[in-house]
Amino acid sequence: MLISEGMEMTAGTIYLDNASTTPLRKGVLDAMMPFLTEGYGNPASIHPMGKAPRDAVAHARESVASLIAADPSEIYFTSGGSESDSWALKSVVLGPHSRGNHVIVSSIEHHAILNTCSYLRSMGVDVTYLPVDKDGLIDPAVVEDSIRSDTAIISVMTANNEIGSIQPIQEIGKIAHEHGVLFHTDAVQAYGQIDLNVTRDNIDLLSASAHKLGGPKGVGFLYVRKGIRLDPLIHGGEQERGIRGGTTNVPGVVGFGKAAELASISMRENSEHERMLRDHLVSRVLDEIPYTKLNGHPTSRLPGNANISFAFVEGESLLMSMAMKGICVSTGSACASGSLDPSHVLLAIGLDHATAHGSLRFTVSSENTMEEIDHTVEVLKEVVGRLRAMSPLYEDYLRNEVKEKG
Ligand SMILES: *Cc1c(COP(=O)(O)O)cnc(C)c1O
């Protein structure tokens, strides 16, 4: 009963929060089901019950590797993006093969990176936070200027989870390598959304997470280029070639593999559909609702992401009003909601606090329809109008405008 109470929004809900998480894609649960039921064996077991799970995990490892043109032996399954991010940074910097005590990251990373950096600083590590321009992009020349003789690793996300901006990672990776520095990228938002190739893109370490591309929650991987030696973050048995202990999450890994296979088949078609819906949403909102602005790069951005500022309204009120109409959007990163601080990403691209607070993130998936987008725009127009009518800021603004015009 409790579960159904919490799910009462399901029917008729328009879900535009796919950067927070995605529903399981069709076929993923079916792939997982045997390993939640009769195929429950431990893949490490020598007896016959270990065989099917072991084969299935090996197959999934190939599937997730092929989406980034990696070798399956370079994939280490983890509990998700946060673990992969923490593991990459901590192990490289604090490990015995570290080049030094300095880390370079962008100022708009996910909290899995930023809070790992805070921890590293408490351990005496120096962290350089790279600024971004008004579109949320890193300048590779600034990366190069920040490199020191003791820089151990550069970590810049492939695509941002709030504003969708896609970084020039290939150039940043090239610069890192010219200076003998390792390059890590948090590709959680990009994996399965855009074309990635660890060799072409000069990537040494890469984080991905299943639940952002139609796989289950609680499973991800860290890609580690052959030849790089990582210390474990989780000490345990011999799983994952002895550097990530813990009995393998077989159903999760299998679901991840299936989601990766589906993404490799349909990525181009799906991203075209998402881009079309997103562009329609953005152009209608900017045309039909005054005092709105798109955040993030106009073209170098994830196909499904729109982040829009609505002047004179409070994002949380807007979000709640939309939610009451069955439309699920976000005010930024899920981790930041509930806190009163404006998004660090929106501040980093130069928005003032009020504008940052009045911003919404819409992230569409291939499952969304044009009707849903049109309905969302109609609801937005009504809700923004109503909230502005109650806003003292808007009233002041209009009064001044009338005065100025004489
Ligand atoms: C969601 C997300 C993460 C965290 O992944 P989890 O699997 O939920 O731990 C990390 N980085 C980015 C960019 C994300 O969007």
Side-chain angles (χ1 to χ4, degrees):
M1 281 321 276
L2 271 177
I3 289 176
S4 64
E5 267 171 44
M7 288 185 149
E8 61 204 350
M9 282 188 40
T10 301
T13 296
I14 298 180
Y15 188 72
L16 300 177
D17 198 14
N18 288 278
S20 293
T21 195
T22 57
L24 287 186
R25 272 186 79 172
K26 224 187 250 46
V28 171
L29 182 61
D30 285 347
M32 295 169 69
M33 204 50 109
F35 303 99
L36 290 160
T37 51
E38 71 274 15
Y40 56 82
N42 189 325
S45 295
I46 317 252
H47 57 64
M49 285 302 286
K51 170 105 173 69
R54 189 158 57 243
D55 290 350
V57 168
H59 180 70
R61 201 182 299 280
E62 286 171 17
S63 304
V64 302
S66 89
L67 207 46
I68 52 173
D71 191 85
S73 67
E74 297 171 306
I75 299 293
Y76 296 83
F77 286 114
T78 65
S79 66
S82 300
E83 182 188 328
S84 300
D85 284 348
S86 297
W87 186 17
L89 290 198
K90 285 190 198 176
S91 295
V92 167
V93 183
L94 303 177
H97 314 288
S98 178
R99 194 167 167 269
N101 231 7
H102 178 230
V103 176
I104 300 172
V105 297
S106 88
S107 52
I108 61 168
E109 293 297 309
H110 188 273
H111 282 105
I113 291 288
L114 291 181
N115 288 341
T116 300
C117 287
S118 306
Y119 168 77
L120 290 173
R121 286 170 67 184
S122 77
M123 303 290 286
V125 172
D126 252 4
V127 180
T128 297
Y129 297 91
L130 301 168
V132 292
D133 67 14
K134 67 174 194 352
D135 295 325
L137 292 194
I138 299 276
D139 179 355
V142 175
V143 178
E144 183 146 40
D145 289 343
S146 315
I147 295 176
R148 312 191 319 208
S149 58
D150 63 342
T151 304
I153 189 167
I154 297 171
S155 180
V156 172
M157 68 203 318
T158 310
N160 184 265
N161 47 302
E162 294 189 41
I163 56 174
S165 300
I166 298 172
Q167 302 295 345
I169 52 163
Q170 194 177 331
E171 277 175 86
I172 296 171
K174 182 163 177 278
I175 290 167
H177 291 172
E178 282 165 3
H179 292 266
V181 177
L182 292 176
F183 178 52
H184 167 260
T185 189
D186 173 343
V188 173
Q189 288 292 330
Y191 181 80
Q193 288 284 328
I194 61 174
D195 180 43
L196 290 169
N197 179 317
V198 286
T199 306
R200 179 199 67 199
D201 298 336
N202 305 308
I203 296 165
D204 297 308
L205 302 121
L206 176 147
S207 304
S209 176
H211 76 100
K212 303 290 175 79
L213 66 145
K217 292 164 185 63
V219 59
F221 70 75
L222 181 64
Y223 156 81
V224 183
R225 178 178 295 288
K226 215 170 259 150
I228 297 172
R229 298 235 306 271
L230 273 200
D231 268 7
L233 178 70
I234 295 182
H235 297 263
E238 286 306 308
Q239 294 90 359
E240 301 301 302
R241 290 172 296 285
I243 60 168
R244 203 287 188 175
T247 302
T248 309
N249 171 3
V250 179
V253 162
V254 168
F256 194 3
K258 184 70 185 179
E261 276 168 38
L262 294 170
S264 77
I265 296 165
S266 58
M267 194 162 72
R268 180 155 312 173
E269 193 186 319
N270 285 349
S271 59
E272 263 165 39
H273 179 74
E274 289 171 22
R275 185 175 285 114
M276 183 213 29
L277 294 179
R278 190 271 316 276
D279 289 348
H280 184 70
L281 172 76
V282 171
S283 69
R284 276 204 67 188
V285 169
L286 299 190
D287 283 353
E288 298 174 38
I289 306 179
Y291 314 114
T292 51
K293 154 184 182 311
L294 178 69
N295 298 313
H297 196 278
T299 54
S300 181
R301 72 184 301 140
L302 291 172
N305 172 292
N307 186 307
I308 299 176
S309 294
F310 297 84
F312 317 114
V313 299
E314 225 278 300
E316 295 292 327
S317 320
L318 192 47
L319 181 142
M320 294 307 288
S321 305
M322 299 292 286
M324 282 194 286
K325 307 253 179 191
I327 301 173
C328 302
V329 296
S330 159
T331 46
S333 56
C335 332
S337 56
S339 96
L340 286 175
D341 297 333
S343 142
H344 67 287
V345 176
L346 298 178
L347 295 182
I349 60 171
L351 300 196
D352 58 43
H353 279 228
T355 310
H357 268 305
S359 303
L360 282 193
R361 178 185 73 182
F362 307 83
T363 43
V364 306
S365 80
S366 58
E367 304 285 306
N368 290 121
T369 63
M370 202 54 128
E371 288 70 39
E372 288 181 322
I373 300 299
D374 280 324
H375 180 67
T376 299
V377 176
E378 295 306 327
V379 172
L380 262 177
K381 282 161 75 172
E382 177 204 324
V383 170
V384 171
R386 180 157 48 77
L387 292 174
R388 281 182 179 163
M390 302 186 302
S391 157
L393 286 174
Y394 191 50
E395 216 172 273
D396 283 354
Y397 176 83
L398 289 182
R399 198 176 300 126
N400 286 334
E401 202 174 50
V402 169
K403 236 186 261 164
E404 271 164 32
K405 282 185 182 149

